[in-house]
Amino acid sequence: MMRTQTYIALALAAFLALPGGEATAASWRHERSMIGRPIERTDMRSDQNDAREGVRTGRIQPLGKVLRRVHERYPGQLLDAQLVDAGGRPVYLIKLMTPDGNVGIVSADAATGDIIDYRQGGR
């Protein structure tokens, strides 16, 4: 798990180093602040455990299932995904690199898997 997180962090750092990366990072931070706050963490694994427990109890959809629905409508390479609390409603924020090189941010209801919103964040 730590190796995967390291690779994701390196890939994201490399992406943000590209021209326009600063604006992309800022739009991602803005989007997260507009949608909701990250699920509270007391240790590195508690957010993952909360998500796992939510899937096990049927409260939220597995991220993989939601990603399949997102990719059907919005093709692209996954850059990041987070489970956030949007006023008591669990929401997946999914950041994609679209085929034309733009960054897309998808909000999906974690309970139903329905896509709530899509925004393009620039290159």
Side-chain angles (χ1 to χ4, degrees):
M1 181 64 189
M2 185 60 87
R3 178 177 281 164
T4 302
Q5 290 175 338
T6 302
Y7 289 137
I8 290 171
L10 290 173
L12 187 56
F15 171 72
L16 293 176
L18 294 173
E22 204 170 297
T24 302
S27 66
W28 179 240
R29 281 191 301 273
H30 173 74
E31 193 71 24
R32 281 188 17 217
S33 69
M34 295 300 290
I35 297 293
R37 62 176 178 72
I39 301 296
E40 290 296 320
R41 299 177 185 163
T42 56
D43 61 44
M44 286 186 63
R45 291 185 173 241
S46 67
D47 60 327
Q48 191 174 32
N49 291 339
D50 289 344
R52 188 179 298 115
E53 181 66 17
V55 170
R56 188 185 68 74
T57 61
R59 188 172 51 87
I60 63 173
Q61 298 286 315
L63 178 59
K65 185 175 180 180
V66 175
L67 286 175
R68 282 191 292 278
R69 291 180 76 178
V70 167
H71 284 296
E72 286 173 3
R73 265 179 83 182
Y74 305 106
Q77 178 184 358
L78 176 66
L79 297 176
D80 194 7
Q82 291 185 348
L83 180 62
V84 298
D85 178 75
R89 176 183 186 186
V91 172
Y92 284 119
L93 282 180
I94 300 160
K95 185 176 178 183
L96 304 169
M97 172 73 75
T98 63
D100 62 358
N102 287 314
V103 174
I105 300 173
V106 180
S107 304
D109 187 312
T112 64
D114 294 336
I115 295 171
I116 300 168
D117 191 31
Y118 174 77
R119 297 173 193 238
Q120 282 207 325
R123 289 181 180 252

